[in-house]
Amino acid sequence: MSVKSAKSEGVELKLPNKTIELPLRSGTLGPDVLDIKSLAPEGYFTYDPGFVSTASCESKITYIDGDQGILLYRGYPIEQLAEKSDFLEVAYLLLRGELPTVPEKTEFVSTLKQHTLVHQQIFNFFNGFRRDAHPMAIMVGVVGALSAFYHDALDINNPEHRETAALRLIAKMPTLAAMCYKYSVGLPFMYPQNDMGYAENFLHMMFATPSETTKPNPILSRAMDRIFILHADHEQNASTSTVRLAGSTGANPFACISAGIAALWGPAHGGANEACLNMLHEIGDVSQIGKYIEKAKDKSDPFRLMGFGHRVYKNYDPRAKIMRETCHEVLSELGLEDNPLFKLAMALEKIALEDDYFVSKKLYPNVDFYSGITLSALGIPTAMFTVIFALARTVGWISHWNEMVSAPDYKLGRPRQLYTGWPKRNYPAES
Ligand code: CMC
């Protein structure tokens, strides 16, 4: 079998017995996509571990150009959104496709505020966990458990139900995330304050106590909001694809988002910001950077510089550029520029950006490098970093889930395989 020729309208594929034409589909932006749907009826599958050459779906939500370092949400560049918008406006945009008018935004925010509380019985779930449980383990459990509480809007074929489930998830994620933290340190849960902004309220639920409720610093609230914007969506990454795959079975949205949280937890994905901070603690001192850079280059050593490299961005990560600025703003606001950990991070960034190995392989600091440092400066414990990523990404996940479920031709996701195990063999005869 060989690919014979590429035509603008399709590609001829020579199979052993016949030649078929595979249509080429063009998107609004990005490379053309070869439509291989007709291969299976011919008795062939494609082989693409890690889905590096596979477009798993059609989507109108987010566009990435990894070579040029472009990220667009519904067509708007991430740089413009990070500067001019706020997280709830971005949430509206991702979910509904357009920026809201002022009355639309007011209505959206006020509806979300009606959903910020969680059912009081959810508190019991927390008590079932050990105090030292990883907060992502708790999040996988409690977000999945939401499906047991909100039976009134679980019909995935009903657009109003889907909308209600989406709003509930977006509104409740900060409450649940902050509860994870409060539980781990044995402090009382703080109720949401609906007169605060989304990020401000999250910082309030994280750090206020019933005996001390100072308003969060606006510069830090804005930094938190920016972290949420930058993590809100990222096309068909591992966790979003997980949400889509789970959703393709008809599973309810809370279960699907819980599956997404599980996929995000891994250190190659959302766990990288946590892994990055752990790595900085392991390196410990600027004098040790050289040793760790050598370890990262050594193929026989599994160590990698966490927070460097990206599957799609092979030039630079546009989110990292924005996050870097925010990171410096926060360090300066908090007077932390001379903190040894942050000095170490900045020295590592500089050395890696100049090192031949990293430069030639295009391994730039990614968004998680800077968001990890920023979150740490905000006083957020390392184990909570991926939870915050999950909180923000819930908007992207639920937008993709909704896009998939509302498409007229949505299908159960069911990849195939190249089987290399035993051929059929018989159970051993008794001796
Ligand atoms: N440190 C050292 N070497 C690296 C690193 C790194 N962080 N990342 C990639 N490489 C090397 C790798 O060893 C390979 O070398 P060679 O070609 O000689 O075999 C080459 O670069 C290509 O790496 P790859 O693993 O084939 O590339 P990938 O696209 O599959 O991996 C990645 C992308 C993000 C998994 C990887 O860069 C990595 O493990 N980075 C560290 C973890 C991290 O920061 N992840 C967060 C990604 S951003 C958050 C998100 O969007 O979810």
Side-chain angles (χ1 to χ4, degrees), residues 197-270:
Y198 191 83
E200 186 187 23
N201 173 47
F202 173 63
L203 289 177
H204 156 79
M205 290 189 288
M206 283 287 291
F207 296 119
T209 64
S211 46
E212 206 170 331
T213 57
T214 46
K215 233 175 157 6
N217 171 330
I219 296 186
L220 306 186
S221 300
R222 175 70 191 143
M224 194 73 247
D225 194 76
R226 198 165 265 187
I227 290 177
F228 292 159
I229 293 175
L230 298 182
H231 286 85
D233 195 38
H234 213 225
E235 209 235 52
Q236 311 308 324
N237 55 81
S239 56
T240 302
S241 299
T242 302
V243 170
R244 279 188 179 259
L245 198 54
S248 78
T249 69
N252 76 70
F254 302 103
C256 296
I257 300 302
S258 169
I261 295 172
L264 187 75
W265 193 356
H269 190 11

Side-chain angles (χ1 to χ4, degrees), residues 269 272 299 304-305 307-308 310-311 314 357 361 366 368:
H269 190 11
K299 289 281 156 251
R304 281 187 169 200
L305 273 196
F308 284 78
H310 199 274
R311 169 59 65 82
K314 299 300 181 193
Y357 173 93
K361 290 186 187 300
N366 56 49
D368 289 325

Side-chain angles (χ1 to χ4, degrees), residues 9-293:
E9 71 277 17
V11 168
E12 277 184 13
L13 183 68
K14 196 159 174 283
L15 300 172
N17 306 328
K18 68 196 259 206
T19 296
I20 60 169
E21 181 153 314
L22 300 174
L24 263 182
R25 296 195 54 197
S26 298
T28 339
L29 294 168
D32 286 350
V33 170
L34 199 53
D35 183 338
I36 56 163
K37 284 200 300 286
S38 60
L39 271 182
E42 300 293 340
Y44 290 96
F45 300 137
T46 53
Y47 179 65
D48 183 21
F51 308 118
V52 283
S53 302
T54 297
S56 61
C57 62
E58 188 181 319
S59 180
K60 293 181 169 48
I61 301 175
T62 291
Y63 174 75
I64 301 173
D65 183 328
D67 292 326
Q68 296 198 48
I70 293 172
L71 169 61
L72 311 175
Y73 291 167
R74 301 280 188 186
Y76 294 104
I78 191 68
E79 293 82 355
Q80 293 179 21
L81 293 169
E83 191 196 328
K84 297 182 181 161
S85 187
D86 64 36
F87 179 68
L88 289 186
E89 189 173 71
V90 167
Y92 185 103
L93 172 70
L94 287 169
L95 259 181
R96 301 195 177 163
E98 293 297 337
L99 286 168
T101 60
V102 173
E104 282 168 346
K105 166 110 183 269
T106 308
E107 198 250 318
F108 183 67
V109 172
S110 103
T111 314
L112 277 173
K113 285 182 174 172
Q114 290 162 25
H115 292 294
T116 51
L117 287 167
V118 293
H119 196 289
Q120 203 69 12
Q121 270 179 270
I122 295 267
F123 286 36
N124 298 338
F125 279 81
F126 281 84
N127 291 329
F129 285 97
R130 286 168 50 134
R131 293 270 174 196
D132 63 355
H134 195 287
M136 283 296 275
I138 303 181
M139 287 301 278
V140 169
V142 294
V143 173
L146 292 179
S147 42
F149 287 83
Y150 302 105
H151 297 140
D152 57 328
L154 287 184
D155 177 2
I156 65 161
N157 298 313
N158 180 330
E160 281 168 25
H161 282 208
R162 292 201 299 272
E163 171 81 3
T164 304
L167 296 179
R168 279 184 172 145
L169 275 157
I170 297 167
K172 291 180 200 309
M173 284 299 276
T175 314
L176 291 171
M179 286 170 84
C180 285
Y181 170 61
K182 289 297 197 195
Y183 184 73
S184 72
V185 287
L187 285 168
F189 297 141
M190 291 300 289
Y191 286 105
Q193 286 298 310
N194 285 349
D195 58 345
M196 289 186 180
Y198 191 83
E200 186 187 23
N201 173 47
F202 173 63
L203 289 177
H204 156 79
M205 290 189 288
M206 283 287 291
F207 296 119
T209 64
S211 46
E212 206 170 331
T213 57
T214 46
K215 233 175 157 6
N217 171 330
I219 296 186
L220 306 186
S221 300
R222 175 70 191 143
M224 194 73 247
D225 194 76
R226 198 165 265 187
I227 290 177
F228 292 159
I229 293 175
L230 298 182
H231 286 85
D233 195 38
H234 213 225
E235 209 235 52
Q236 311 308 324
N237 55 81
S239 56
T240 302
S241 299
T242 302
V243 170
R244 279 188 179 259
L245 198 54
S248 78
T249 69
N252 76 70
F254 302 103
C256 296
I257 300 302
S258 169
I261 295 172
L264 187 75
W265 193 356
H269 190 11
N273 47 18
E274 176 177 353
C276 172
L277 252 284
N278 291 337
M279 175 194 72
L280 291 175
H281 284 294
E282 188 188 326
I283 297 175
D285 187 78
V286 178
S287 64
Q288 298 298 305
I289 291 180
K291 182 176 126 195
Y292 279 89
I293 295 263

Side-chain angles (χ1 to χ4, degrees), residues 314-360:
K314 299 300 181 193
N315 187 345
Y316 70 91
D317 178 344
R319 303 167 303 167
K321 218 173 171 183
I322 305 162
M323 205 57 241
R324 186 176 192 275
E325 278 168 30
T326 304
C327 177
H328 284 278
E329 259 168 49
V330 167
L331 294 183
S332 142
E333 173 68 14
L334 296 172
L336 287 172
E337 290 114 321
D338 288 330
N339 174 296
L341 189 75
F342 303 125
K343 274 180 111 164
L344 169 66
M346 295 307 130
L348 179 66
E349 174 204 30
K350 188 166 183 299
I351 293 170
L353 282 174
E354 289 166 359
D355 188 281
D356 253 9
Y357 173 93
F358 289 91
V359 174
S360 63

